[in-house]
Amino acid sequence: MNKYIIYHNPRWGKSRSALQLLRDSNIEPLIINYIKEPPSIKTLKVISDLLGLNPAKWIRKSESDYKKHNLNDINDADTIFYYMNKYPKLIERPIIIYNNKAVVGRPTENVLELIK
């Protein structure tokens, strides 16, 4: 992947900050509003590999859907990917991908790892 990609939710400040940091660095990424266009389970698996993280490490535990579906008791990655796809607000935001590496842009400074 030679293009920057940001999985973005424009309603959230951290996501807007990460996008602005990219733009301030003269980078115009491909912007994917993951709320309107949830990543497929296959794409979520690729993102997880690029992050080098089990999905349990980048799911939003404070979301109501997390609590509603008792996801705290689920350790199976495929099940977590299913819920992330079905309820995209569960995906930690933003996620930035470049050159076969990805970071969660929380804190925003994490994005600098991809810009160097």
Side-chain angles (χ1 to χ4, degrees):
M1 294 180 205
N2 291 340
K3 176 121 176 103
Y4 283 87
I5 300 168
I6 183 170
Y7 284 86
H8 178 62
N9 183 341
R11 295 188 62 198
W12 298 103
K14 295 290 184 189
S15 196
R16 290 191 308 268
S17 295
L19 178 58
Q20 190 59 52
L21 179 62
L22 290 169
R23 288 178 169 163
D24 289 348
S25 299
N26 295 317
I27 297 167
E28 186 57 41
L30 170 64
I31 300 169
I32 299 173
N33 182 330
Y34 67 91
I35 300 298
K36 291 182 179 179
E37 301 174 51
S40 68
I41 291 171
K42 181 180 176 181
T43 299
L44 289 167
K45 289 179 179 182
V46 170
I47 291 170
S48 195
D49 287 344
L50 294 175
L51 287 168
L53 295 173
N54 180 295
K57 299 289 185 186
W58 54 283
I59 189 168
R60 293 184 55 81
K61 295 173 176 69
S62 61
E63 289 294 328
S64 61
D65 286 320
Y66 184 88
K67 296 168 187 168
K68 178 179 170 184
H69 297 288
N70 297 314
L71 297 181
N72 195 43
D73 298 330
I74 297 174
N75 295 317
D76 177 62
D78 288 334
T79 302
I80 295 172
F81 290 134
Y82 166 81
Y83 280 100
M84 286 175 149
N85 170 261
K86 188 166 176 78
Y87 304 100
K89 286 184 181 181
L90 291 171
I91 300 170
E92 186 61 83
R93 60 191 174 259
I95 295 173
I96 300 88
I97 301 172
Y98 178 70
N99 208 18
N100 294 319
K101 186 173 179 189
V103 297
V104 175
R106 291 176 68 97
T108 305
E109 294 76 27
N110 287 351
V111 179
L112 296 173
E113 293 176 31
L114 299 179
I115 296 175
K116 306 181 210 182

